[in-house]
Amino acid sequence: MTRYVMTIDLRRCVGCQTCTAACKGANATPPGIQWRRVLDIESGEFPDVRRTFLPVACMHCGDPPCESVCPTRATTKRADGLVAIDYDLCIGCANCVMACPYDARSIVHEPRFAYGDTPTAAEAARFDPARIGVSMKCTFCKDRIDHAERTGLVPGVDPEVTPACVNSCISGAMGFGDIDDPNSGVNALLAETQYFRMHEELGTEPGVYYVWDKS
Amino acid sequence: MKPFNPRAVELAAPKQQRNWDWRAAANFICGGAGGGLLLVAAFAGLDAFATRAALLMGLALIGCGLTCVWFEIGRPWRAMNVYRHFATSWMTREAVVALVVFATGALAIITASVVLTLVAGACGAAFLYSQARILAANKGIPAWRHPASVPLMVSTGLAEGAGFAASVAALAGAGPDTKLLVLLLVLLTVRVWCWRRYLAGLTRSGAPLAALKVLDAFGPRFQTIGHGLPAVVLVAALVGLPGRSLMVLLAGLLVAASGWVMKYTLVRRAAYTQGLAVDHLPVRGRGPSGPAAKPGWKMMSGGNRG
C-alpha cells in the first residue's frame, strides 16, 4: 500500500510564505484563496511569549469527514491517501466546507481576478471555469503524484513529482513521501523526532505530521 | 457577502462560517418545522379538514426550505447529483426522504387515507432526523457536531410542528382538543430540557469562546419567551380561561417562532469553525517546548502525540 503524507518541521519554519506563493503559482488560485497558508500564532503572556509559524492546508485525512458528508461523491479518498475533488460532480453545497475542521476548503461563486473584472494575460490563460461554484482545496499537487506513477519517479525525492510547496521551502521544513515505505524520508524523520497531528482527537487521521522536537 | 480579511494573527482562531447563509438556515428552519408538523398532524387526531390543512402546510414548509437551499448551492443545475451518496451522506438521505415525503403527503391530502397520512407523518419524522444529522456530521463546527445537537434539533422540530398543528386547529373552527395542548406542553418541556443539556454539554466539552458567548446570550431569552411565556398561555387555555382559540394560536406561534430563532442562531450566529491549534510549540535552540496554543477556545480538548 501507499499512503502519501507530509511532514512539517515547526522548528525550521521561518514563516516566509514561499510555500504559499509557490502553491498559488502552481495552482492558479484566485485572489483571497490560499490552498496553502502559513499562520502566525502568538501565544503566552508577557514576558513568556512565543511566536510560531504554522503551515496549514488540506490534511488529506485517512478518514476524511468531507468525504462522508459529500452527497455527490465528488470528494473521494484515493488509494494512495490523497483526498480529491471531482469538479464535474460537485454541486457546491458547502457541506464539505462545514465538515472540514482545518478550514481547508473554499468555494468561489464568481470569477475573481487580481485587478478587477479583467484578467491579466496569465490569469486568462490559466482560468478554469470548472472551479467556479464548486468546492476546492489543496490537492497535494496530484497531477505530479500521478506523473510519478507513470514515470517511476519518487514523490518527496524527485522534485518533478513532489508538491510545489515542498519543493519551494527554503528551510527544508516540509517533507513529503510514502509513510508505508519503511525507507522513505518521512519515515526516517518521524522515527527520530516527536510530532503531532492537528485535531487528531476528532478521528480524522490527518496526513500531515508536525514535528516539534527531537525524540 | 462582505469580504473577510482577518489579520495574520487572527487566521488561526475560530471564524464564523460564511458559506451557509440565511438560505441554508431557512432549510433547517422550515424543513424541521414541516417534518415535525407532518408527524404531529398524522398522530394528533385532528379533524379531516385540519389534518389536510396541516399536511399541506408541512409540505409547503419543507418545499420552501429546499427551494431556499437550491438557490444557495454553487451549481444548482447539477442538483440531482445530491442523490449519489446514500451510504454515508445525510444530505443525500434527506433528499431521498424528501421525495417520499412529497409523494405520500400529496397522496394523503388527495385521498384523505389514514394509512397514507400516518406514512407521511413517519416520513416527516425521518426528514427531521436527517436534517439534525446533517448538522451533527459537520466536524468543522463545534457547536453543531456536539451529539446533543441531534435531540435539540429533533425536539425543536417536533415542538414547532405541534405549535403549528395547534394553531391550525385553532383557526379551523372546532378548536384544538386538550390532548394536543398537553402534547404541546410536553414537547415544550422536552425542548427546553434538550436545550439546557446541549448548552451544558457544549460548555463542558469545550467550544470556541465566540460560539459560547452567542449561545449564552441567547439562552435566557429563548427559555423565557420561547418556553415560559407559551407554557403560561397554554396552561391558561387548559384551565378554561376565555379566548381559548386565541390563546392557543398565540402559544403555538410563539413556540414555532422561538424555535426558528434558535435554529437561525445555531446555524448562522453560533457557527464558529474549529480553528487551528498547535499541540506542542516547537523547540528552538536550548529552550523547552511551550504550552499548547489553541486560539479562541475556552479549553483544550484531546491529547497530544509524539
Side-chain angles (χ1 to χ4, degrees):
Chain A
M1 290 292 286
T2 300
R3 165 81 163 111
Y4 288 117
V5 302
M6 186 173 282
T7 54
I8 297 174
D9 192 336
L10 295 176
R11 300 169 301 175
R12 287 171 170 255
C13 181
V14 295
C16 67
Q17 304 280 359
T18 305
C19 54
T20 308
C23 174
K24 254 191 136 35
N27 295 293
T29 55
I33 301 297
Q34 292 165 341
W35 290 354
R36 159 78 50 203
R37 298 172 288 162
V38 181
L39 304 183
D40 187 342
I41 295 181
E42 295 171 3
S43 58
E45 286 183 18
F46 181 82
D48 184 17
V49 290
R50 309 275 182 132
R51 190 176 182 200
T52 308
F53 299 112
L54 181 69
V56 292
C58 173
M59 301 283 167
H60 293 270
C61 300
D63 187 4
C66 51
E67 185 204 24
S68 57
V69 302
C70 176
T72 67
R73 289 184 190 269
T75 294
T76 49
K77 186 164 79 89
R78 305 189 340 171
D80 58 5
L82 271 60
V83 176
I85 302 173
D86 184 336
Y87 299 136
D88 293 332
L89 286 179
C90 180
I91 60 173
C93 67
N95 206 357
C96 57
V97 182
M98 304 297 158
C100 174
Y102 304 102
D103 288 352
R105 290 178 169 243
S106 47
I107 299 179
V108 172
H109 289 277
E110 56 218 19
R112 284 189 211 160
F113 303 106
Y115 301 100
D117 294 337
T118 310
T120 62
E123 284 175 326
R126 304 188 65 194
F127 176 69
D128 182 1
R131 293 205 311 214
I132 298 297
V134 299
S135 186
M136 56 181 177
K137 66 167 188 75
C138 155
T139 66
F140 265 180
C141 291
K142 70 180 168 68
D143 291 347
R144 300 180 186 210
I145 308 299
D146 292 342
H147 187 58
E149 188 124 328
R150 292 190 294 273
T151 58
L153 297 172
V154 181
V157 175
D158 299 303
E160 304 95 304
V161 292
T162 299
C165 54
V166 178
N167 283 340
S168 73
C169 183
I170 61 165
S171 61
M174 304 175 89
F176 189 81
D178 176 9
I179 200 167
D180 287 347
D181 174 4
N183 300 315
S184 68
V186 290
N187 255 325
L189 178 66
L190 296 178
E192 62 190 33
T193 54
Q194 297 186 75
Y195 56 86
F196 67 88
R197 293 189 290 173
M198 198 190 295
H199 302 328
E200 201 173 5
E201 70 278 7
L202 297 178
T204 53
E205 298 172 28
V208 175
Y209 292 76
Y210 290 98
V211 172
W212 59 277
D213 196 9
K214 60 182 183 294
S215 52
Chain B
M1 212 170 267
K2 284 186 291 186
F4 179 60
N5 299 310
R7 295 186 304 136
V9 292
E10 294 168 343
L11 284 169
K15 292 175 280 292
Q16 201 174 40
Q17 68 86 8
R18 301 172 61 79
N19 284 278
W20 282 2
D21 62 14
W22 67 268
R23 292 166 292 188
N27 186 36
F28 292 101
I29 287 169
C30 297
L37 177 55
L38 290 179
L39 181 68
V40 175
F43 292 93
L46 304 176
D47 64 43
F49 175 72
T51 301
R52 278 179 156 168
L55 288 178
L56 189 61
M57 190 176 173
L59 294 183
L61 282 168
I62 291 174
C64 177
L66 292 174
T67 305
C68 284
V69 88
W70 185 76
F71 277 109
E72 169 140 73
I73 63 176
R75 295 281 187 153
W77 301 115
R78 292 181 193 166
M80 297 305 279
N81 285 353
V82 79
Y83 292 105
R84 289 174 49 89
H85 203 185
F86 191 82
T88 62
S89 170
W90 281 100
M91 194 175 269
T92 299
R93 292 168 186 172
E94 178 206 32
V96 170
V97 172
L99 290 180
V100 188
V101 163
F102 283 112
T104 55
L107 284 173
I109 292 169
I110 293 165
T111 63
S113 156
V114 175
V115 174
L116 281 172
T117 303
L118 294 176
V119 173
C123 291
F127 186 82
L128 174 60
Y129 183 69
S130 301
Q131 285 208 328
R133 293 298 298 267
I134 288 174
L135 273 194
N138 288 316
K139 287 188 175 178
I141 311 288
W144 297 353
R145 71 167 182 248
H146 194 280
S149 74
V150 175
L152 176 64
M153 289 296 286
V154 171
S155 66
T156 194
L158 292 176
E160 290 158 27
F164 277 127
S167 302
V168 168
L171 291 171
D177 67 12
T178 303
K179 276 188 295 186
L180 182 55
L181 300 191
V182 172
L183 174 68
L184 183 52
L185 212 46
V186 169
L187 288 174
L188 209 49
T189 309
V190 171
R191 184 174 78 175
V192 76
W193 180 76
C194 287
W195 166 259
R196 294 174 69 93
R197 183 170 167 266
Y198 163 76
L199 201 51
L202 189 65
T203 308
R204 212 170 31 246
S205 63
L209 281 168
L212 290 175
K213 191 176 169 191
V214 169
L215 294 170
D216 284 337
F218 175 70
R221 277 174 289 161
F222 183 49
Q223 293 181 57
T224 309
I225 302 170
H227 297 85
L229 187 57
V232 168
V233 177
L234 277 174
V235 170
L238 277 168
V239 298
L241 291 185
R244 179 181 161 105
S245 288
L246 191 62
M247 283 193 285
V248 171
L249 181 66
L250 176 69
L253 293 179
L254 262 177
V255 172
S258 57
W260 286 17
V261 176
M262 186 274 284
K263 282 191 278 194
Y264 184 83
T265 302
L266 193 60
V267 174
R268 290 286 300 128
R269 296 180 53 229
Y272 281 80
T273 59
Q274 171 77 20
L276 300 156
V278 189
D279 281 10
H280 296 273
L281 298 192
V283 174
R284 288 193 175 116
R286 289 185 170 187
S289 169
K294 198 171 186 180
W297 271 69
K298 186 170 185 181
M299 62 168 69
M300 193 74 185
S301 64
N304 298 330
R305 299 287 182 278

